[in-house]
Amino acid sequence: MDKLVIKGGKPLSGTIEISGAKNSVLALMMTSILTDEDLTLHNVPYLSDVLTLAELLENFGITIKVKNNGQPEDLYTTKENNLSLTLNGSTINNLNAPYSIAKKMRASFWSLGPMLAKFGKATVSLPGGCSIGTRQIDLHLDTLKAMGAEISISNGYANAKVNGRLKATNFTFNKVSVGATINAIMSAVLAEGVSTFLNCAQEPEIQDMCHLLVKMGADIKNIGTSKLIITGQDKLQGATHTTMSDRIETGTYIAAIGLTGGSITLNNVDFESIKNLIDTFKKTGIQIEKTGDRTMQISSDKQIKAMDIQTMPYPGFPTDMQAQFTALMCLAPGTSCITENLFENRFMHIPELQRMGADITINNRTATVVGVPQFNGAKVMATDLRASVCLVLAALSTPEETIIDRIYHIDRGYCRIEHKLAKCGVDIKRVK
Ligand code: EPU
């Protein structure tokens, strides 16, 4: 298993290209199930989650051609960061998502809706538990049942079928769920009639998927709001789409500059999706200046101000930035309270931050952080994607050596992080 060895303590300086968004590209790739025509996606980040989803789609029979700068590439061995994929779903011949793949990635369950909508049946492995919480699937199943699907659960699989086409529905989510909203949208675009969904998740990645579906011929009204009205079509066509930039990767590098000081340029930034995050970071004292349509200069003198945050569905503070923000607050003089409202077990990074000298107390869903002058180096262990990257951030701030184990979690969602940081002057290496 790979480890990252980091000796930080130096201000960052240089330029980082923000990659395509993980949580967007997974949804975009999944829409290839819905059409028999070519779907071409640009700005696809090289991430292990992308490889896992490619494996799942290929297991269904979907063909995937990969290019880098117009030249054919091999998805599984490429050294490039930014790929173009052309997926074709006309060859789907297997409607079964096996446990061996689904266990690696919860988003595999997003295949249930589009499979049912296109083929009238599907068997998809339940995603199982997860280190950040129980992560139910009741809402995914309830929407599909409301659309006429019969679903039984046996031997760890959801077996779903529908008599004819899925039927439109009026459905109110009793909780905001990104994945259940994605499954519902991908089902309704091919269902019979007009569906109305209330209390939908509004995350920018969902909006990105809706914009692609509209290019494919879907009729989706009120994109970007909590009330979606979708008129089902008989079929969808192919399309070409550029994956939006990753707002969480952007936020992660902003938190990094707060911890290290220095000044860096971020390119390929999607400003619209991170407006609120930028406002929050500015309040901590990090300077953020828009220097072009998709470029920002971020700098800090390491004088970070403590502040309280609580995670909420978009446009609130993202749960996927909670761990990174917690690391930042560890070096802010004073006390800050971090409340995690979305997942019941998303403080796994805290014992590891404590090993690095952080002063944090957890009480139910709130972590109270008392700022310390600096982190110390330590051997620590990554437990999930965002928990892992917050350890990288802590390590960047201290000249002592930090060794982070189990970094396969980071590779799920951060495209070649060690290369990007090394280009900004960080002493970082990946070792076996
Ligand atoms: N929930 C239910 N029932 C359901 C579905 C969800 O009760 O049927 C609950 C969950 O248990 C959780 C809350 O609703 O408490 C929110 O879960 P949601 O369904 O929104 O999360 P998700 O779709 O499983 C996506 C992202 C996560 C991100 C969350 C919240 C992807 C691939 N995953 O997960 O991303 O944290 O939305 O924004 O898009 C990450 O990137 O590190 C990551 C974990």
Side-chain angles (χ1 to χ4, degrees):
M1 252 181 271
D2 289 4
K3 298 177 187 174
L4 280 180
V5 180
I6 301 175
K7 270 193 210 152
K10 281 192 270 175
L12 297 185
S13 162
T15 299
I16 291 180
E17 298 292 325
I18 300 300
S19 295
K22 170 183 84 84
N23 290 349
S24 179
V25 79
L26 298 178
L28 300 178
M29 287 170 72
M30 207 62 101
T31 66
S32 62
I33 297 171
L34 294 165
T35 175
D36 287 339
E37 298 179 15
D38 275 358
L39 181 74
T40 297
L41 302 176
H42 299 304
N43 199 30
V44 174
Y46 181 79
L47 299 172
S48 65
D49 269 10
V50 167
L51 302 189
T52 302
L53 184 53
E55 193 187 348
L56 180 71
L57 296 176
E58 286 176 338
N59 156 83
F60 293 149
I62 291 176
T63 57
I64 305 180
K65 291 192 187 123
V66 186
K67 287 200 172 156
N68 165 52
N69 279 330
Q71 296 304 311
E73 268 286 340
D74 182 289
L75 183 59
Y76 299 97
T77 56
T78 182
K79 295 273 179 274
E80 302 298 331
N81 295 351
N82 182 342
L83 304 165
S84 294
L85 304 187
T86 298
L87 304 102
N88 189 296
S90 64
T91 43
I92 292 179
N93 55 12
N94 170 26
L95 306 180
N96 188 332
Y99 176 67
S100 56
I101 303 177
K103 70 177 181 193
K104 294 190 217 166
M105 194 179 64
R106 194 180 153 78
S108 306
F109 203 68
W110 299 353
S111 59
L112 186 62
M115 285 297 221
L116 257 184
K118 179 98 185 294
F119 301 101
K121 60 180 181 175
T123 299
V124 176
S125 169
L126 303 179
C130 163
S131 60
I132 63 176
T134 45
R135 304 185 79 178
Q136 324 262 6
I137 48 155
D138 53 322
L139 295 171
H140 296 248
L141 302 183
D142 289 350
T143 39
L144 292 169
K145 284 179 188 164
M147 297 175 90
E150 284 172 44
I151 307 179
S152 62
I153 306 286
S154 60
N155 305 105
Y157 281 82
N159 302 292
K161 61 179 183 189
V162 59
N163 194 0
R165 281 171 72 184
L166 288 172
K167 309 284 179 300
T169 185
N170 293 329
F171 189 91
T172 303
F173 292 99
N174 61 20
K175 192 170 196 179
V176 179
S177 162
V178 170
T181 302
I182 287 175
N183 238 330
I185 296 169
M186 283 197 283
S187 309
V189 290
L190 284 184
E192 218 175 313
V194 183
S195 296
T196 302
F197 295 104
L198 298 177
N199 201 26
C200 296
Q202 304 167 54
E203 266 63 7
E205 296 78 16
I206 297 179
Q207 298 177 37
D208 202 25
M209 180 190 78
C210 287
H211 291 309
L212 167 61
L213 287 167
V214 168
K215 288 183 192 167
M216 293 164 72
D219 181 345
I220 308 175
K221 297 212 165 49
N222 303 341
I223 294 172
T225 73
S226 62
K227 176 180 178 180
L228 293 175
I229 301 172
I230 301 176
T231 306
Q233 309 294 311
D234 292 340
K235 64 182 210 169
L236 296 181
Q237 69 217 20
T240 297
H241 189 77
T242 299
T243 313
M244 69 174 289
S245 298
D246 199 312
R247 66 192 164 106
I248 305 299
E249 188 191 25
T250 309
T252 300
Y253 290 120
I254 297 176
I257 205 82
L259 284 160
T260 60
S263 181
I264 57 173
T265 301
L266 298 183
N267 284 336
N268 199 24
V269 172
D270 182 308
F271 280 95
E272 186 58 30
S273 63
I274 53 163
K275 274 197 292 219
N276 292 352
L277 209 47
I278 288 177
D279 288 346
T280 306
F281 275 120
K282 280 185 172 171
K283 287 183 194 148
T284 70
I286 298 175
Q287 286 120 48
I288 303 173
E289 196 192 336
K290 185 171 180 189
T291 47
D293 277 355
R294 297 181 63 78
T295 306
M296 60 163 71
Q297 189 72 29
I298 51 176
S299 45
S300 145
D301 54 7
K302 288 176 77 174
Q303 303 299 310
I304 297 301
K305 297 188 189 74
M307 66 180 287
D308 300 343
I309 53 130
Q310 38 179 319
T311 63
M312 299 292 275
Y314 188 83
F317 189 92
T319 175
D320 294 343
M321 277 301 302
Q322 181 258 106
Q324 303 89 312
F325 200 84
T326 303
L328 180 65
M329 288 301 104
C330 286
L331 297 195
T335 303
S336 43
C337 293
I338 314 284
T339 304
E340 172 56 56
N341 290 315
L342 270 80
F343 294 107
E344 67 272 29
N345 192 26
R346 212 171 192 183
F347 282 145
M348 305 272 283
H349 45 288
I350 288 181
E352 301 304 296
L353 288 174
Q354 286 166 334
R355 287 171 54 72
M356 297 181 71
D359 180 350
I360 310 177
T361 318
I362 303 174
N363 190 359
N364 295 322
R365 287 182 173 266
T366 299
T368 304
V369 184
V370 179
V372 294
Q374 65 172 49
F375 284 111
N376 52 255
K379 286 189 178 162
V380 287
M381 197 174 71
T383 48
D384 73 69
L385 170 58
R386 309 302 171 186
S388 324
V389 86
C390 101
L391 301 176
V392 173
L393 298 187
L396 292 180
S397 73
T398 170
E400 295 179 10
E401 183 176 89
T402 301
I403 302 177
I404 307 173
D405 204 350
R406 300 201 180 177
I407 55 154
Y408 57 85
H409 291 291
I410 297 184
D411 296 330
R412 293 187 59 179
Y414 286 89
C415 182
R416 315 229 194 245
I417 190 169
E418 71 273 28
H419 296 180
K420 292 189 184 187
L421 287 172
K423 270 180 62 191
C424 292
V426 178
D427 181 349
I428 177 169
K429 44 182 196 291
R430 180 183 288 256
V431 295
K432 294 281 170 204

